[in-house]
């Protein structure tokens, strides 16, 4: 029997979250919890260790909802604000764990993270508040270890940005992509559980549509696929009714077992 880990979807909404501020569309006004989506992030629980993928603006709320008390490592898929702007809340885990947290990113994302959060990653002696203690390690195509897990990175094309998808055992997470290069498709082959970007039905320059994501699903044929980074145009139940079996919308709090 292979070892198992648990994936928790902390947020599966697009950059504005759902509901978006000021939005009067039906899904934004819906009281169904399945239509309430925080900014995109997942947690992977590996025994007693926790790997956090992205720290969006909703990190505090996500951590409180799930009773999160430790973060052993963070992977940044890319530098966009909806994936990074909760970074300051990592400091509570420094308090709780009394040690720095290793973070991993592709070099181009790491450069922007260092610039955007120079009070964390730079030497800003004038900053007197308590700041997170993080190390930032650049990774590339080679697999690496984080929170006791073997991570295989894979490139995703995101409207001109290079986003890190990850494969761990029979699971893969591919948020924020407009297409998936052939080398990355090779890494994804044989995946059993896939979480993939599917923003909406209408085309978008930096995100897959439901239809484009389905083309990838048809090629990879995972046993279970969940759509993430979804916007207000996708009502949870209505969208699910039109998806084939084995493919469904993710929702905040969705929990999945994976084999390492
Ligand atoms: Zn995003
Ligand atoms: Zn993005």
């Amino acid at each position: 029997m292979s070892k198992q880990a648990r994936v928790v979807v902390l947020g599966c909404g697009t950059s504005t979250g759902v509901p978006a501020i000021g939005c009067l569309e039906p899904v934004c006004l819906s009281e169904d919890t399945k239509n309430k989506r925080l900014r995109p992030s997942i947690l992977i629980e590996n025994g007693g260790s926790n790997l956090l993928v992205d720290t969006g603006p909703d990190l505090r709320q996500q951590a409180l909802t799930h009773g999160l008390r430790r973060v052993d490592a963070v992977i940044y898929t890319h530098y966009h604000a909806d994936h990074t702007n909760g970074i300051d809340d990592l400091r509570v885990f420094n308090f709780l764990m009394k040690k720095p947290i290793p973070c991993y990113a592709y070099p181009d994302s790491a450069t922007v993270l260092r610039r955007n959060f120079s009070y964390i990653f730079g030497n800003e002696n004038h900053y007197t508040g308590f700041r997170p203690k993080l190390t930032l390690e650049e990774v590339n195509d080679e697999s690496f270890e984080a929170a006791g897990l073997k991570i295989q990175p894979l490139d995703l094309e995101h409207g001109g940005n290079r986003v890190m998808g990850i494969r761990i055992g029979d699971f893969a997470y591919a948020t924020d992509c407009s297409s998936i290069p052939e080398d990355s498709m090779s890494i994804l082959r044989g995946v059993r559980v896939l979480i993939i970007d599917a923003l909406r039905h209408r085309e978008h320059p930096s995100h897959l549509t439901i239809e484009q994501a389905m083309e990838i699903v048809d090629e990879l044929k995972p046993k279970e696929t969940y759509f993430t980074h979804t916007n207000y145009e996708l009502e949870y139940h209505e969208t699910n009714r039109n998806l084939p079996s084995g493919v469904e919308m993710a929702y905040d709090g969705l929990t999945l077992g994976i084999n390492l």
Side-chain angles (χ1 to χ4, degrees):
M1 269 269 298
S2 58
K3 279 180 68 184
Q4 294 220 317
R6 205 167 80 119
V7 173
V8 183
V9 175
L10 301 179
C12 64
T14 191
S15 58
T16 56
V18 179
I21 295 170
C23 177
L24 300 176
E25 297 290 334
V27 173
C28 285
L29 297 176
S30 165
E31 291 186 5
D32 193 321
T33 54
K34 295 280 175 56
N35 286 322
K36 296 193 185 300
R37 302 170 199 144
L38 297 176
R39 261 59 72 89
S41 174
I42 60 169
L43 177 73
I44 304 172
E45 300 171 343
N46 176 33
S49 295
N50 288 333
L51 171 66
L52 186 60
V53 181
D54 293 329
T55 61
D58 297 320
L59 174 59
R60 175 177 173 275
Q61 193 178 339
Q62 291 161 333
L64 290 172
T65 298
H66 295 277
L68 195 58
R69 299 200 75 245
R70 63 181 296 145
V71 170
D72 295 273
V74 177
I75 288 178
Y76 283 103
T77 59
H78 62 309
Y79 65 81
H80 281 162
D82 54 324
H83 298 258
T84 59
N85 275 7
I87 193 169
D88 196 69
D89 284 320
L90 287 175
R91 64 196 169 135
V92 297
F93 300 105
N94 294 139
F95 268 136
L96 291 165
M97 299 173 66
K98 299 183 174 37
K99 59 180 179 184
I101 301 171
C103 302
Y104 303 87
Y106 277 159
D108 36 1
S109 286
T111 299
V112 181
L113 285 168
R114 281 190 210 99
R115 190 174 67 222
N116 288 357
F117 303 106
S118 58
Y119 79 101
I120 298 175
F121 298 114
N123 294 314
E124 292 195 11
N125 295 327
H126 63 274
Y127 188 90
T128 55
F130 180 69
R131 48 191 141 185
K133 291 184 176 57
L134 312 176
T135 61
L136 183 54
E137 296 182 35
E138 296 185 1
V139 296
N140 256 304
D141 301 333
E142 298 291 310
S143 64
F144 61 96
E145 198 180 298
L149 294 159
K150 186 185 172 211
I151 317 291
Q152 178 58 58
L154 52 111
D155 280 16
L156 302 171
E157 170 65 31
H158 178 40
N161 283 296
R162 181 186 184 212
V163 169
M164 193 198 307
I166 56 172
R167 176 152 184 179
I168 301 173
D170 64 359
F171 166 74
Y173 184 60
T175 189
D176 291 66
C177 50
S178 42
S179 68
I180 301 185
E182 197 41 54
D183 285 355
S184 301
M185 287 297 281
S186 304
I187 294 170
L188 290 171
R189 268 179 243 292
V191 78
R192 186 182 64 87
V193 181
L194 174 67
I195 299 179
I196 187 170
D197 184 345
L199 178 71
R200 62 187 190 192
H201 290 290
R202 290 181 298 122
E203 281 198 18
H204 188 280
S206 50
H207 292 279
L208 294 169
T209 63
I210 292 260
E211 291 67 26
Q212 290 164 341
M214 276 309 305
E215 286 175 23
I216 291 162
V217 170
D218 285 343
E219 193 174 333
L220 294 174
K221 298 183 176 48
K223 204 156 186 283
E224 301 171 31
T225 300
Y226 301 90
F227 289 153
T228 192
H229 219 291
T230 51
N231 86 347
Y232 68 89
E233 291 164 77
L234 299 177
E235 201 283 327
Y236 177 82
H237 302 282
E238 183 196 332
T239 307
N240 272 349
R241 272 195 292 278
N242 294 311
L243 292 173
S245 86
V247 184
E248 52 188 276
M249 298 274 285
Y251 56 87
D252 290 13
L254 171 68
T255 300
L256 306 164
I258 63 168
N259 299 306
L260 301 178

PDB file of all heavy atoms in Angstrom, residues 206-226:
ATOM      1  N   SER A 206      -5.763  34.541 -20.123  1.00  0.00           N
ATOM      2  CA  SER A 206      -4.817  33.865 -19.229  1.00  0.00           C
ATOM      3  C   SER A 206      -5.422  32.705 -18.420  1.00  0.00           C
ATOM      4  O   SER A 206      -4.757  32.178 -17.529  1.00  0.00           O
ATOM      5  CB  SER A 206      -4.149  34.884 -18.293  1.00  0.00           C
ATOM      6  OG  SER A 206      -5.100  35.703 -17.685  1.00  0.00           O
ATOM      7  N   HIS A 207      -6.650  32.332 -18.734  1.00  0.00           N
ATOM      8  CA  HIS A 207      -7.264  31.195 -18.026  1.00  0.00           C
ATOM      9  C   HIS A 207      -7.960  30.264 -19.009  1.00  0.00           C
ATOM     10  O   HIS A 207      -8.491  30.702 -20.023  1.00  0.00           O
ATOM     11  CB  HIS A 207      -8.297  31.683 -17.004  1.00  0.00           C
ATOM     12  CG  HIS A 207      -7.691  32.412 -15.853  1.00  0.00           C
ATOM     13  ND1 HIS A 207      -7.121  31.753 -14.785  1.00  0.00           N
ATOM     14  CD2 HIS A 207      -7.534  33.741 -15.622  1.00  0.00           C
ATOM     15  CE1 HIS A 207      -6.657  32.654 -13.931  1.00  0.00           C
ATOM     16  NE2 HIS A 207      -6.876  33.863 -14.414  1.00  0.00           N
ATOM     17  N   LEU A 208      -7.977  28.985 -18.665  1.00  0.00           N
ATOM     18  CA  LEU A 208      -8.736  28.011 -19.449  1.00  0.00           C
ATOM     19  C   LEU A 208     -10.230  28.236 -19.246  1.00  0.00           C
ATOM     20  O   LEU A 208     -10.667  28.605 -18.152  1.00  0.00           O
ATOM     21  CB  LEU A 208      -8.393  26.586 -18.999  1.00  0.00           C
ATOM     22  CG  LEU A 208      -6.966  26.096 -19.255  1.00  0.00           C
ATOM     23  CD1 LEU A 208      -6.735  24.783 -18.513  1.00  0.00           C
ATOM     24  CD2 LEU A 208      -6.717  25.915 -20.754  1.00  0.00           C
ATOM     25  N   THR A 209     -10.982  27.980 -20.296  1.00  0.00           N
ATOM     26  CA  THR A 209     -12.434  27.907 -20.151  1.00  0.00           C
ATOM     27  C   THR A 209     -12.794  26.482 -19.723  1.00  0.00           C
ATOM     28  O   THR A 209     -11.943  25.581 -19.774  1.00  0.00           O
ATOM     29  CB  THR A 209     -13.138  28.205 -21.485  1.00  0.00           C
ATOM     30  OG1 THR A 209     -12.756  27.176 -22.423  1.00  0.00           O
ATOM     31  CG2 THR A 209     -12.743  29.564 -22.040  1.00  0.00           C
ATOM     32  N   ILE A 210     -14.042  26.289 -19.362  1.00  0.00           N
ATOM     33  CA  ILE A 210     -14.520  24.934 -19.037  1.00  0.00           C
ATOM     34  C   ILE A 210     -14.251  24.002 -20.227  1.00  0.00           C
ATOM     35  O   ILE A 210     -13.772  22.876 -20.061  1.00  0.00           O
ATOM     36  CB  ILE A 210     -16.037  24.970 -18.736  1.00  0.00           C
ATOM     37  CG1 ILE A 210     -16.288  25.721 -17.428  1.00  0.00           C
ATOM     38  CG2 ILE A 210     -16.647  23.582 -18.759  1.00  0.00           C
ATOM     39  CD1 ILE A 210     -16.521  24.879 -16.214  1.00  0.00           C
ATOM     40  N   GLU A 211     -14.538  24.493 -21.418  1.00  0.00           N
ATOM     41  CA  GLU A 211     -14.399  23.655 -22.618  1.00  0.00           C
ATOM     42  C   GLU A 211     -12.929  23.313 -22.884  1.00  0.00           C
ATOM     43  O   GLU A 211     -12.598  22.178 -23.230  1.00  0.00           O
ATOM     44  CB  GLU A 211     -15.026  24.367 -23.830  1.00  0.00           C
ATOM     45  CG  GLU A 211     -16.549  24.488 -23.785  1.00  0.00           C
ATOM     46  CD  GLU A 211     -17.086  25.411 -22.675  1.00  0.00           C
ATOM     47  OE1 GLU A 211     -16.365  26.345 -22.236  1.00  0.00           O
ATOM     48  OE2 GLU A 211     -18.230  25.193 -22.227  1.00  0.00           O
ATOM     49  N   GLN A 212     -12.042  24.298 -22.711  1.00  0.00           N
ATOM     50  CA  GLN A 212     -10.609  24.046 -22.916  1.00  0.00           C
ATOM     51  C   GLN A 212     -10.066  23.099 -21.843  1.00  0.00           C
ATOM     52  O   GLN A 212      -9.238  22.230 -22.125  1.00  0.00           O
ATOM     53  CB  GLN A 212      -9.832  25.367 -22.890  1.00  0.00           C
ATOM     54  CG  GLN A 212     -10.108  26.244 -24.114  1.00  0.00           C
ATOM     55  CD  GLN A 212      -9.669  27.692 -23.913  1.00  0.00           C
ATOM     56  OE1 GLN A 212      -9.473  28.159 -22.786  1.00  0.00           O
ATOM     57  NE2 GLN A 212      -9.534  28.417 -25.009  1.00  0.00           N
ATOM     58  N   ALA A 213     -10.536  23.263 -20.617  1.00  0.00           N
ATOM     59  CA  ALA A 213     -10.097  22.356 -19.546  1.00  0.00           C
ATOM     60  C   ALA A 213     -10.581  20.935 -19.852  1.00  0.00           C
ATOM     61  O   ALA A 213      -9.859  19.961 -19.606  1.00  0.00           O
ATOM     62  CB  ALA A 213     -10.625  22.840 -18.199  1.00  0.00           C
ATOM     63  N   MET A 214     -11.783  20.820 -20.419  1.00  0.00           N
ATOM     64  CA  MET A 214     -12.318  19.490 -20.751  1.00  0.00           C
ATOM     65  C   MET A 214     -11.469  18.787 -21.813  1.00  0.00           C
ATOM     66  O   MET A 214     -11.335  17.563 -21.792  1.00  0.00           O
ATOM     67  CB  MET A 214     -13.777  19.588 -21.236  1.00  0.00           C
ATOM     68  CG  MET A 214     -14.820  19.614 -20.125  1.00  0.00           C
ATOM     69  SD  MET A 214     -14.663  18.295 -18.885  1.00  0.00           S
ATOM     70  CE  MET A 214     -14.682  16.827 -19.901  1.00  0.00           C
ATOM     71  N   GLU A 215     -10.881  19.559 -22.738  1.00  0.00           N
ATOM     72  CA  GLU A 215     -10.000  18.943 -23.749  1.00  0.00           C
ATOM     73  C   GLU A 215      -8.798  18.296 -23.069  1.00  0.00           C
ATOM     74  O   GLU A 215      -8.358  17.204 -23.459  1.00  0.00           O
ATOM     75  CB  GLU A 215      -9.512  20.001 -24.754  1.00  0.00           C
ATOM     76  CG  GLU A 215     -10.588  20.447 -25.732  1.00  0.00           C
ATOM     77  CD  GLU A 215     -10.108  21.578 -26.631  1.00  0.00           C
ATOM     78  OE1 GLU A 215      -8.877  21.728 -26.823  1.00  0.00           O
ATOM     79  OE2 GLU A 215     -10.967  22.334 -27.132  1.00  0.00           O
ATOM     80  N   ILE A 216      -8.280  18.964 -22.053  1.00  0.00           N
ATOM     81  CA  ILE A 216      -7.141  18.413 -21.305  1.00  0.00           C
ATOM     82  C   ILE A 216      -7.568  17.188 -20.506  1.00  0.00           C
ATOM     83  O   ILE A 216      -6.874  16.171 -20.473  1.00  0.00           O
ATOM     84  CB  ILE A 216      -6.530  19.509 -20.402  1.00  0.00           C
ATOM     85  CG1 ILE A 216      -5.862  20.570 -21.292  1.00  0.00           C
ATOM     86  CG2 ILE A 216      -5.533  18.920 -19.412  1.00  0.00           C
ATOM     87  CD1 ILE A 216      -5.594  21.882 -20.615  1.00  0.00           C
ATOM     88  N   VAL A 217      -8.740  17.278 -19.905  1.00  0.00           N
ATOM     89  CA  VAL A 217      -9.279  16.143 -19.139  1.00  0.00           C
ATOM     90  C   VAL A 217      -9.489  14.942 -20.071  1.00  0.00           C
ATOM     91  O   VAL A 217      -9.153  13.807 -19.717  1.00  0.00           O
ATOM     92  CB  VAL A 217     -10.606  16.544 -18.454  1.00  0.00           C
ATOM     93  CG1 VAL A 217     -11.305  15.335 -17.858  1.00  0.00           C
ATOM     94  CG2 VAL A 217     -10.337  17.597 -17.386  1.00  0.00           C
ATOM     95  N   ASP A 218     -10.009  15.202 -21.261  1.00  0.00           N
ATOM     96  CA  ASP A 218     -10.255  14.103 -22.212  1.00  0.00           C
ATOM     97  C   ASP A 218      -8.949  13.419 -22.601  1.00  0.00           C
ATOM     98  O   ASP A 218      -8.924  12.218 -22.878  1.00  0.00           O
ATOM     99  CB  ASP A 218     -10.961  14.639 -23.473  1.00  0.00           C
ATOM    100  CG  ASP A 218     -12.428  14.949 -23.198  1.00  0.00           C
ATOM    101  OD1 ASP A 218     -12.956  14.455 -22.172  1.00  0.00           O
ATOM    102  OD2 ASP A 218     -13.032  15.705 -23.987  1.00  0.00           O
ATOM    103  N   GLU A 219      -7.871  14.189 -22.638  1.00  0.00           N
ATOM    104  CA  GLU A 219      -6.590  13.599 -22.996  1.00  0.00           C
ATOM    105  C   GLU A 219      -5.972  12.829 -21.822  1.00  0.00           C
ATOM    106  O   GLU A 219      -5.443  11.728 -21.984  1.00  0.00           O
ATOM    107  CB  GLU A 219      -5.635  14.711 -23.467  1.00  0.00           C
ATOM    108  CG  GLU A 219      -4.410  14.155 -24.159  1.00  0.00           C
ATOM    109  CD  GLU A 219      -3.514  15.244 -24.754  1.00  0.00           C
ATOM    110  OE1 GLU A 219      -4.028  16.334 -25.092  1.00  0.00           O
ATOM    111  OE2 GLU A 219      -2.305  14.986 -24.853  1.00  0.00           O
ATOM    112  N   LEU A 220      -6.060  13.410 -20.632  1.00  0.00           N
ATOM    113  CA  LEU A 220      -5.396  12.798 -19.464  1.00  0.00           C
ATOM    114  C   LEU A 220      -6.250  11.718 -18.800  1.00  0.00           C
ATOM    115  O   LEU A 220      -5.706  10.812 -18.154  1.00  0.00           O
ATOM    116  CB  LEU A 220      -5.048  13.880 -18.431  1.00  0.00           C
ATOM    117  CG  LEU A 220      -4.002  14.911 -18.847  1.00  0.00           C
ATOM    118  CD1 LEU A 220      -3.886  16.003 -17.782  1.00  0.00           C
ATOM    119  CD2 LEU A 220      -2.632  14.240 -19.064  1.00  0.00           C
ATOM    120  N   LYS A 221      -7.550  11.860 -18.914  1.00  0.00           N
ATOM    121  CA  LYS A 221      -8.497  10.911 -18.320  1.00  0.00           C
ATOM    122  C   LYS A 221      -8.218  10.588 -16.842  1.00  0.00           C
ATOM    123  O   LYS A 221      -8.094   9.407 -16.460  1.00  0.00           O
ATOM    124  CB  LYS A 221      -8.537   9.601 -19.120  1.00  0.00           C
ATOM    125  CG  LYS A 221      -9.019   9.789 -20.552  1.00  0.00           C
ATOM    126  CD  LYS A 221      -9.115   8.465 -21.283  1.00  0.00           C
ATOM    127  CE  LYS A 221      -9.683   8.614 -22.675  1.00  0.00           C
ATOM    128  NZ  LYS A 221      -9.098   9.682 -23.497  1.00  0.00           N
ATOM    129  N   PRO A 222      -8.136  11.622 -15.994  1.00  0.00           N
ATOM    130  CA  PRO A 222      -8.004  11.336 -14.554  1.00  0.00           C
ATOM    131  C   PRO A 222      -9.303  10.708 -14.051  1.00  0.00           C
ATOM    132  O   PRO A 222     -10.372  10.898 -14.656  1.00  0.00           O
ATOM    133  CB  PRO A 222      -7.822  12.723 -13.928  1.00  0.00           C
ATOM    134  CG  PRO A 222      -7.659  13.675 -15.063  1.00  0.00           C
ATOM    135  CD  PRO A 222      -8.282  13.051 -16.255  1.00  0.00           C
ATOM    136  N   LYS A 223      -9.201   9.965 -12.963  1.00  0.00           N
ATOM    137  CA  LYS A 223     -10.416   9.363 -12.388  1.00  0.00           C
ATOM    138  C   LYS A 223     -11.314  10.461 -11.811  1.00  0.00           C
ATOM    139  O   LYS A 223     -12.530  10.413 -11.925  1.00  0.00           O
ATOM    140  CB  LYS A 223     -10.008   8.390 -11.281  1.00  0.00           C
ATOM    141  CG  LYS A 223     -11.015   7.317 -11.004  1.00  0.00           C
ATOM    142  CD  LYS A 223     -10.327   6.100 -10.381  1.00  0.00           C
ATOM    143  CE  LYS A 223     -11.292   4.950 -10.214  1.00  0.00           C
ATOM    144  NZ  LYS A 223     -12.194   5.013  -9.142  1.00  0.00           N
ATOM    145  N   GLU A 224     -10.682  11.460 -11.190  1.00  0.00           N
ATOM    146  CA  GLU A 224     -11.434  12.575 -10.600  1.00  0.00           C
ATOM    147  C   GLU A 224     -10.811  13.892 -11.041  1.00  0.00           C
ATOM    148  O   GLU A 224      -9.599  14.066 -10.905  1.00  0.00           O
ATOM    149  CB  GLU A 224     -11.367  12.528  -9.063  1.00  0.00           C
ATOM    150  CG  GLU A 224     -11.907  11.270  -8.428  1.00  0.00           C
ATOM    151  CD  GLU A 224     -11.585  11.228  -6.933  1.00  0.00           C
ATOM    152  OE1 GLU A 224     -11.510  12.300  -6.283  1.00  0.00           O
ATOM    153  OE2 GLU A 224     -11.386  10.123  -6.416  1.00  0.00           O
ATOM    154  N   THR A 225     -11.652  14.799 -11.543  1.00  0.00           N
ATOM    155  CA  THR A 225     -11.183  16.143 -11.899  1.00  0.00           C
ATOM    156  C   THR A 225     -12.064  17.177 -11.206  1.00  0.00           C
ATOM    157  O   THR A 225     -13.288  17.011 -11.145  1.00  0.00           O
ATOM    158  CB  THR A 225     -11.258  16.372 -13.422  1.00  0.00           C
ATOM    159  OG1 THR A 225     -10.431  15.410 -14.083  1.00  0.00           O
ATOM    160  CG2 THR A 225     -10.789  17.771 -13.803  1.00  0.00           C
ATOM    161  N   TYR A 226     -11.425  18.236 -10.695  1.00  0.00           N
ATOM    162  CA  TYR A 226     -12.160  19.320 -10.036  1.00  0.00           C
ATOM    163  C   TYR A 226     -11.716  20.640 -10.642  1.00  0.00           C
ATOM    164  O   TYR A 226     -10.516  20.887 -10.781  1.00  0.00           O
ATOM    165  CB  TYR A 226     -11.879  19.306  -8.527  1.00  0.00           C
ATOM    166  CG  TYR A 226     -12.276  17.998  -7.894  1.00  0.00           C
ATOM    167  CD1 TYR A 226     -11.356  16.940  -7.808  1.00  0.00           C
ATOM    168  CD2 TYR A 226     -13.570  17.789  -7.433  1.00  0.00           C
ATOM    169  CE1 TYR A 226     -11.720  15.719  -7.270  1.00  0.00           C
ATOM    170  CE2 TYR A 226     -13.947  16.567  -6.884  1.00  0.00           C
ATOM    171  CZ  TYR A 226     -13.011  15.535  -6.801  1.00  0.00           C
ATOM    172  OH  TYR A 226     -13.378  14.322  -6.276  1.00  0.00           O
TER     173      TYR A 226
END
